[in-house]
Every structure is written in structure tokens, then in C-alpha cells.
Amino acid sequence: HNRKFVSLPTNHLLHNTMPPSDENTATDGGMSSIPPTTNDAKDLVLQDLCRHLTGRTTTEATEATEEKNNSIEHRSVVALPVAAIQSLLDVIRRTKAGTMMGLQEELRRAEEDMLEFARSPSSRSILKGGRSFIALASGCELFMKYVTRAFLETPDFAACIAEVLERGEAFANISLSARDRIADIGQDFVQDGQTVVTHGWSRVVSKLLLKAAEHKQFSIVVLEGRPDAGGAKAAKTYAEAGIPTTVVLDSAMAYVIEKADLVIVGAEGVVENGGVVNKVGTYSLGIVAREMGKPFYVAAESYKFARLFPLNQSDLPDVGVVPRLNFVDTASWEATGGKVGKPAESLSTDGAVPGHVCLPDQVEVENPPCDYTPAKYITLLFTDLGVLTPSAVSDELIRLYQ
């Protein structure tokens, strides 16, 4: 049993507005009015997704991201699952379908378009490479289940549309405050004088640590977060808030955890067995924390709870093509004067970055974007549903989907 629930809200929207139903797809018993697939419809969905994430169109978001490639805050304010739900609500607002089956087909196509985009190279500048796929799929699946249940509760098609839009918008608004609720819960676990280790960049972890820093004195050690240097970029946010911050190589995690007090990481997805999928390196961090006897906390919103049950790394879903890694001997920069972003005229005659390691073609390079951390390495999860033990996640998933 070993289950712990703290601060569970009584009015969580999806729990109270989705009555039990069977797993069958709802239809109205008539012929569906399914519009043909068009590139225009796909473009509209992707434009909606990028607009909800960044406030810009797909092209504008890509250009802005390329201009601010050293900034960590530009990517999005709205969490990807929430942006996906808002995009599906836009599909409902535009629908010409006359039946529930037709509407569900439109929504499924929109979901497939967004997932295909998340797998594509063109999404890397807006999303977080392949790490975004699980969170996106989780948000879409949760909303599609909700649409089915809403129709079972309100068989009239027009009334159902109105009900879905009303509750969907309310859910999206509530979800926007999830990080605030997690920060309020989790900041109590950070005490004066402690050293916190974190990995890469997570908005919910950042919110939690900045909240704790409002009235506590502690320090942060951030793992660099290769290959996108998410942790190194995040260090600026913490330092500007007045928190003593240190950045170390990912490979130095065991060295720094020995002197730290706790570890807090985010998650791209929380799976059925209470484990998490997150930026690659999180699994190693969990193993080291357990070996060192340090608490390992995960901060994640409940809409990232995913109906996945991985047993090992090979069970993770396909996230599409990931970019090839480049390797640079940074220790040589001091001698050569090379640095990232140095003007072209200062580079070597062949245009290569000083210290770049050129690998022969026969050497394979693997670049997994995320890994799976089993539940046994996780002490507690900080969620908008309260503080949960890993074993409690399955109960929450049952409540969300049944």
C-alpha cells in the first residue's frame, strides 16, 4: 500500500466532469459527415498549436527561436499538452461535421498531424526534439477520451459541442495554473542552507525553485544538459533571481550529488507504474541519487500522466528522427580562442569550429532524447493533484481515464 496523497483538490475538472463510460467510440448511429483530408486543414492545426505555444505562427516561432537560440524562456509559456487541447478545441470551433463520428474523425486527423509534426525535424526549433512527443500524445488522448464521454452524457450533437467547448476551455484555464499549485506544494521540501541538484530545463521545476527562493537561502547545481545545454541556459534564470548557481558537466553528477541534499527534476511523461520519461540522463541521476541516499523528487503536471507501461528503455515510443550529435573539445577553446557563435572570419580556413571532433563515417553516433526512470528511484512526485508516491500514479490514471 505505501501510498500517500496530500492536498488533493476536490474540484479537479476532469475528475468531476467525466462520468464513467465504456471504451467504445461514441457515434450517433447515423452516417458520418467526414470531410476529406486537406493540407489547409493540417496547416491550420499546426498554426494553432504554435500560436498557443508561442503566440506566433509556425514560421514566426521558428524564426524567433533561431534568433534566440541561447535563451531558454522563449520556447513556450503554455505547456504542450494544454496547447494541444486548445488546438483541438479550435478544430471543434471550425468543424463542418454533422455527426459525432465525423467530428471524432476530424479530431483524430488533427491529433495525427500534431504528432507527425512533433516527430519531424521542422519541430526541433519550436518543441524540444523528440522529448515532446509523449507529453503531446498524452494531452491529445486525454481530450479525445473526454469528447467521447461528453457525447455519452449529452447525446444531442449541438448540445455536446457546446458542452465540450465550455468544459475544455475551463480545463485549459485550470491547467495553466498547475505549475503554481505544484510550486506551492513542492517548495516546502527545499530548506534553508540546502543544495539542490537539477537536470536540464523544466518550467515547473524553475517555478518551484524560484518560489522557494522568495523566502529561503539555498544553492542550485545544474547539470549542463547536453546536447541542447538546457541546464546551462537555465542557470541564467536562477542566477538572476539571486540564487547561488553552479553548472557542471552531466558526467559530474555523482561528484556533485555526494555534497548535495536533494534532487528535483521535471518530466515529459509520468507512466502507469509511477516511473517517468524525461531528458536523457535523468535515469542515471536517479540511480546515483539512490546510491548516495539522496531524495529524488519529480515535479510534473497531471496532464502528463500517460497510459504507457515501459519495462526498459527499448519500450519507449518512437519519437522520429533525432539530429546527429556533434562533439567539440571545449578544453581546446582556451588555446585556440574558439567559442560557440564566434564570427566566421575568426574560424579556421575550412570554416570548422575550433576543437570540433571529426568522426569517420564508420563510427555510429546515437542521440536518444529521453530515457525512462523506474519508479523505484523516485521518492515523491509533486503534482497539481498533491504530493504522490509513485504507486499512487496508477490510481490517478484510473480516475482520469475511467
Side-chain angles (χ1 to χ4, degrees):
H1 301 31
N2 187 27
R3 297 181 178 179
K4 181 179 180 182
F5 295 81
V6 181
S7 305
L8 279 172
T10 58
N11 61 343
H12 193 266
L13 185 71
L14 286 179
H15 291 176
N16 289 346
T17 59
M18 298 203 305
S21 70
D22 58 34
E23 294 295 319
N24 296 325
T25 301
T27 69
D28 60 357
M31 297 298 292
S32 62
S33 174
I34 302 175
T37 302
T38 65
N39 288 331
D40 289 343
K42 179 176 180 179
D43 290 343
L44 280 174
V45 170
L46 298 185
Q47 287 174 13
D48 288 340
L49 180 64
C50 294
R51 175 171 53 82
H52 291 304
L53 275 172
T54 67
R56 304 179 179 93
T57 65
T58 309
T59 302
E60 291 171 343
T62 301
E63 292 173 350
T65 300
E66 291 171 350
E67 292 173 0
K68 301 179 180 180
N69 63 335
N70 286 325
S71 171
I72 198 68
E73 290 284 354
H74 74 278
R75 282 178 175 158
S76 68
V77 175
V78 176
L80 183 56
V82 178
I85 290 172
Q86 291 173 326
S87 300
L88 292 175
L89 288 170
D90 289 335
V91 172
I92 295 176
R93 295 186 186 99
R94 291 191 299 265
T95 187
K96 298 295 193 298
T99 67
M100 193 62 195
M101 181 179 288
L103 175 60
Q104 287 182 319
E105 180 63 22
E106 282 190 54
L107 292 172
R108 283 297 179 196
R109 288 174 180 171
E111 177 185 4
E112 291 170 2
D113 289 340
M114 289 189 286
L115 293 176
E116 180 184 354
F117 175 67
R119 286 192 178 102
S120 69
S122 60
S123 72
R124 293 174 194 154
S125 59
I126 301 171
L127 307 180
K128 294 178 287 185
R131 287 165 43 217
S132 300
F133 179 82
I134 293 177
L136 177 60
S138 176
C140 290
E141 183 181 10
L142 185 62
F143 183 77
M144 292 300 294
K145 174 65 71 173
Y146 168 56
V147 171
T148 299
R149 291 175 180 170
F151 182 68
L152 292 174
E153 181 183 4
T154 311
D156 179 75
F157 183 65
C160 178
I161 292 291
E163 188 75 7
V164 168
L165 288 174
E166 180 182 354
R167 293 185 183 179
E169 290 169 358
F171 169 67
N173 292 332
I174 288 175
S175 298
L176 292 175
S177 63
R179 292 172 185 155
D180 292 326
R181 295 198 295 274
I182 293 171
D184 289 337
I185 293 171
Q187 58 96 19
D188 290 333
F189 289 79
V190 180
Q191 302 300 320
D192 278 312
Q194 289 188 329
T195 298
V196 180
V197 174
T198 187
H199 178 40
W201 166 254
S202 164
R203 288 189 179 277
V204 67
V205 172
S206 172
K207 193 85 171 180
L208 188 160
L209 293 175
L210 294 177
K211 178 75 173 179
E214 292 177 1
H215 48 84
K216 298 174 186 175
Q217 298 292 326
F218 60 92
S219 60
I220 298 176
V221 176
V222 188
L223 302 184
E224 176 193 13
R226 280 276 288 161
D228 63 354
K233 296 172 184 177
K236 178 182 177 182
T237 299
Y238 300 131
E240 289 178 345
I243 307 173
T245 305
T246 303
V247 179
V248 300
L249 294 174
D250 296 337
S251 54
M253 63 176 68
Y255 180 86
V256 297
I257 287 182
E258 184 179 48
K259 298 176 284 188
D261 298 287
L262 68 156
V263 178
I264 304 179
V265 298
E268 298 301 328
V270 181
V271 299
E272 291 186 54
N273 56 17
V276 299
V277 178
N278 195 41
K279 182 180 178 68
V280 68
T282 304
Y283 182 25
S284 304
L285 190 57
I287 293 174
V288 173
R290 185 180 183 186
E291 181 65 25
M292 298 287 188
K294 311 294 183 178
F296 186 89
Y297 301 123
V298 176
E301 304 92 326
S302 60
Y303 47 71
K304 290 184 178 179
F305 286 16
R307 294 202 298 181
L308 298 173
F309 204 106
L311 299 178
N312 49 46
Q313 307 304 320
S314 61
D315 286 341
L316 294 178
D318 175 30
V319 296
V321 179
V322 294
R324 178 181 171 87
L325 272 177
N326 291 309
F327 298 93
V328 178
D329 176 10
T330 55
S332 71
W333 287 358
E334 185 175 351
T336 63
K339 64 178 182 179
V340 173
K342 192 163 186 181
E345 61 269 15
S346 66
L347 300 178
S348 60
T349 55
D350 61 359
V353 175
H356 179 253
V357 179
C358 296
L359 297 173
D361 292 338
Q362 61 267 34
V363 175
E364 295 185 5
V365 176
E366 190 172 357
N367 181 21
C370 54
D371 57 27
Y372 160 62
T373 303
K376 66 181 180 180
Y377 297 107
I378 299 170
T379 307
L380 291 170
L381 295 103
F382 305 146
T383 78
D384 47 303
L385 305 179
V387 179
L388 308 180
T389 59
S391 60
V393 172
S394 59
D395 288 344
E396 289 304 313
L397 274 165
I398 290 171
R399 294 181 66 190
L400 281 172
Y401 286 96
Q402 291 187 354

